[in-house]
Amino acid sequence: MKVSCYRKDGEFTYSLGATVTMEYLNKKIEDVKCVFIHPDFDSEDTKTRIYEICGRNAIPVSVEEKPFNILSKKGNCFVIAMLAKRMTPIEPGNHMVLVNPSNSGNMGTIIRSCLGFGVTDIAIVPPAADHYDPKVIRASMGACASVRIEVFSSFEAYMARFPENNLYPFMLDGSTILQDTSIDKPFSLIMGNEAAGLPSSFAFIGRPVRIRHSEDIDSLNITIAAGIGLYEATREELR
Amino acid sequence: MKVSCYRKDGEFTYSLGATVTMEYLNKKIEDVKCVFIHPDFDSEDTKTRIYEICGRNAIPVSVEEKPFNILSKKGNCFVIAMLAKRMTPIEPGNHMVLVNPSNSGNMGTIIRSCLGFGVTDIAIVPPAADHYDPKVIRASMGACASVRIEVFSSFEAYMARFPENNLYPFMLDGSTILQDTSIDKPFSLIMGNEAAGLPSSFAFIGRPVRIRHSEDIDSLNITIAAGIGLYEATREELR
């Protein structure tokens, strides 16, 4: 398999690192095209598991340094899987909706929190960071392998598909305080852009909520706000 | 004022960026030694405010490019303040305790969340990332200017100073579920290292709590866990 730098318009993406790659081998093997192991990788246990899973699934494994030089400039990465990009339509139920998310690391962190709180369907409204980007996959610690992520043409298109969902846009001037409210199921937690937040038009959609916090900060970091929203919305759920 | 790369054992640190620097000018002016403005900085409003505050407080302002080349390789930074490092002992009350935090960005994000939920006293137990690092200050969005941060020689030294605090170590195998418990004041939320968590000895300290989450992830990101802990502990507080 020939490896080239990740491209947004390319056919493949990559999981960088052993932990992340193991998530794909265990949870989404159908996307794995091949696995590269660095010649210096010394975890025999992990190597054995990779060969075992890949052997059983007829996935080529190659020990070579070159893909690491191309894909992982930082070093500290000894296993890479080449992954097919495949859109998985989201299903009815509780959703996280990311409107114009711009930072790959934040997107990955939010996806990990979503999986942590059992919200496995994530809608994205562009313009948005590319959710196939290896940076997103890595920041998610491989959680990307266990969730469905669908990109919609607009927020209206999302709403039209899930008219039964209770919409909770998170806004700094939301009229409902998260701490004092209960989130009805099925819910859509709607988060805006890191810097700009949600467009003001969202004030007229569903029940706009804000997280009560001190006036000493302008806002919470978006990944923290999303984490707290997920925690509160699923408070009774995972018992 | 001569500027050199940030050094852990140096006397000074730096706020990189206009927003962060404004926080120091507004909240902790006594630490500001001088301010540098990039010749290309074009926000007249901010410039006026900087000159006004610095003029009133006899703080030198210098328009020059050199400090930016030395301190901010990334660009996208047009204002820098040189700051004296000054330890501010924490006071009795609710605390965040970071045991062996290793990542500067995470530390800054947690400090911002602390300020957001009114927990303005933060204890650090080494080995730990340097909380004066400009990366911490920047990730905190300047929240560092509004909190007290004290480094203790050991967790025992911290406990001895605040024997009245209710200790809540956050552990993956904590016996109390955060969702089902109420946090007694004054509290100490105790967070471990990003990768390793807290040493197992903390299982015998105070009331070890865990955040109930699905088995599909090993753990939540430490900044998310800290944010959720702060949210839950201050749920009734900020009303």
Side-chain angles (χ1 to χ4, degrees):
Chain A
M1 288 274 183
K2 246 198 82 192
V3 159
S4 51
C5 275
Y6 175 74
R7 288 207 345 257
K8 194 179 170 174
D9 60 355
E11 209 179 332
F12 300 108
T13 183
Y14 304 94
S15 62
L16 307 178
T19 311
V20 180
T21 298
M22 288 312 300
E23 285 295 308
Y24 274 85
L25 290 176
N26 289 322
K27 308 277 174 59
K28 218 174 187 183
I29 186 99
E30 63 275 22
D31 284 4
V32 181
K33 294 295 143 196
C34 66
V35 174
F36 301 103
I37 298 179
H38 194 286
D40 295 343
F41 187 51
D42 60 3
S43 164
E44 293 305 325
D45 269 17
T46 307
K47 244 189 268 187
T48 307
R49 271 185 295 152
I50 292 171
Y51 277 113
E52 197 247 309
I53 299 175
C54 290
R56 215 180 331 119
N57 291 277
I59 292 166
V61 179
S62 163
V63 178
E64 48 174 321
E65 207 180 318
K66 207 173 151 203
F68 295 85
N69 300 334
I70 296 171
L71 295 168
S72 169
K73 276 127 206 164
K74 273 199 188 170
N76 190 26
C77 166
F78 296 96
V79 181
I80 293 176
M82 182 189 259
L83 307 166
K85 293 183 182 176
R86 218 158 33 82
M87 181 79 89
T88 45
I90 64 171
E91 295 183 2
N94 300 323
H95 299 157
M96 172 63 76
V97 184
L98 302 177
V99 177
N100 311 146
S102 63
N103 180 287
S104 313
N106 287 346
M107 191 187 272
T109 301
I110 292 174
I111 291 169
R112 180 177 168 195
S113 297
C114 284
L115 180 60
F117 290 109
V119 175
T120 52
D121 291 279
I122 298 156
I124 293 177
V125 177
D130 169 20
H131 73 277
Y132 290 118
D133 192 312
K135 284 186 220 140
V136 176
I137 295 174
R138 191 165 202 180
S140 85
M141 303 281 281
C144 287
S146 301
V147 296
R148 289 173 286 269
I149 303 178
E150 183 172 353
V151 179
F152 288 78
S153 56
S154 66
F155 187 75
E156 289 65 35
Y158 166 78
M159 276 202 297
R161 258 258 302 286
F162 300 100
E164 70 283 14
N165 270 37
N166 298 289
L167 306 176
Y168 295 94
F170 278 64
M171 306 185 77
L172 295 182
D173 53 359
S175 49
T176 303
I177 304 283
L178 184 68
Q179 279 97 331
D180 301 335
T181 196
S182 70
I183 303 285
D184 298 324
K185 320 270 166 345
F187 60 74
S188 303
L189 307 182
I190 308 164
M191 302 282 155
N193 173 269
E194 284 85 345
L198 284 171
S200 54
S201 56
F202 278 82
F204 307 103
I205 289 173
R207 195 137 42 107
V209 287
R210 70 184 158 94
I211 302 171
R212 182 170 47 220
H213 60 70
S214 84
E215 285 170 10
D216 293 324
I217 63 166
D218 289 334
S219 67
L220 293 163
N221 174 299
I222 184 76
T223 64
I224 307 295
I228 290 172
L230 287 159
Y231 169 84
E232 186 62 57
T234 62
R235 163 180 283 278
E236 306 290 329
E237 205 84 327
L238 299 164
R239 216 173 276 262
Chain B
M1 287 275 183
K2 248 199 79 193
V3 159
S4 52
C5 275
Y6 175 75
R7 290 208 342 258
K8 193 178 171 176
D9 60 355
E11 209 178 330
F12 300 108
T13 183
Y14 303 95
S15 62
L16 307 178
T19 311
V20 180
T21 299
M22 287 312 300
E23 285 296 307
Y24 274 85
L25 290 177
N26 289 322
K27 309 277 174 57
K28 219 175 185 179
I29 186 97
E30 63 274 22
D31 285 5
V32 181
K33 294 294 144 197
C34 65
V35 174
F36 301 103
I37 299 180
H38 194 286
D40 295 344
F41 187 50
D42 61 3
S43 165
E44 293 306 324
D45 268 18
T46 307
K47 243 188 268 186
T48 306
R49 272 186 294 154
I50 292 172
Y51 277 111
E52 198 247 308
I53 300 175
C54 289
R56 214 182 329 122
N57 292 275
I59 293 167
V61 180
S62 163
V63 179
E64 49 173 320
E65 206 181 319
K66 207 173 151 201
F68 295 86
N69 299 334
I70 295 171
L71 294 167
S72 169
K73 277 126 206 165
K74 273 196 185 171
N76 190 28
C77 167
F78 296 95
V79 181
I80 293 177
M82 184 190 257
L83 307 166
K85 294 183 182 176
R86 219 159 33 82
M87 181 80 89
T88 45
I90 63 172
E91 295 184 1
N94 299 322
H95 299 158
M96 171 64 77
V97 184
L98 303 177
V99 177
N100 311 148
S102 63
N103 180 288
S104 313
N106 287 347
M107 192 188 272
T109 302
I110 293 174
I111 292 169
R112 179 176 169 196
S113 297
C114 285
L115 181 59
F117 290 109
V119 176
T120 51
D121 290 279
I122 299 157
I124 294 178
V125 177
D130 170 17
H131 72 278
Y132 289 118
D133 192 312
K135 284 186 220 140
V136 176
I137 295 174
R138 190 164 202 178
S140 85
M141 303 280 282
C144 287
S146 302
V147 297
R148 288 174 286 269
I149 304 179
E150 182 173 352
V151 178
F152 288 79
S153 57
S154 67
F155 186 75
E156 288 64 35
Y158 166 78
M159 275 202 296
R161 258 261 300 287
F162 300 99
E164 69 283 13
N165 269 35
N166 298 290
L167 306 176
Y168 295 95
F170 277 64
M171 306 186 77
L172 294 180
D173 54 359
S175 48
T176 303
I177 305 282
L178 185 68
Q179 280 96 332
D180 301 336
T181 196
S182 69
I183 304 284
D184 297 323
K185 320 269 169 347
F187 59 73
S188 303
L189 307 182
I190 307 163
M191 303 281 156
N193 174 269
E194 285 85 345
L198 284 170
S200 54
S201 56
F202 278 82
F204 306 102
I205 289 171
R207 194 134 45 105
V209 288
R210 69 184 159 95
I211 301 171
R212 182 169 46 219
H213 61 68
S214 84
E215 286 171 9
D216 293 324
I217 63 166
D218 290 334
S219 66
L220 293 162
N221 174 300
I222 184 78
T223 65
I224 307 295
I228 291 172
L230 287 160
Y231 169 85
E232 187 62 55
T234 61
R235 162 180 283 278
E236 306 289 332
E237 205 83 330
L238 298 165
R239 212 175 279 261

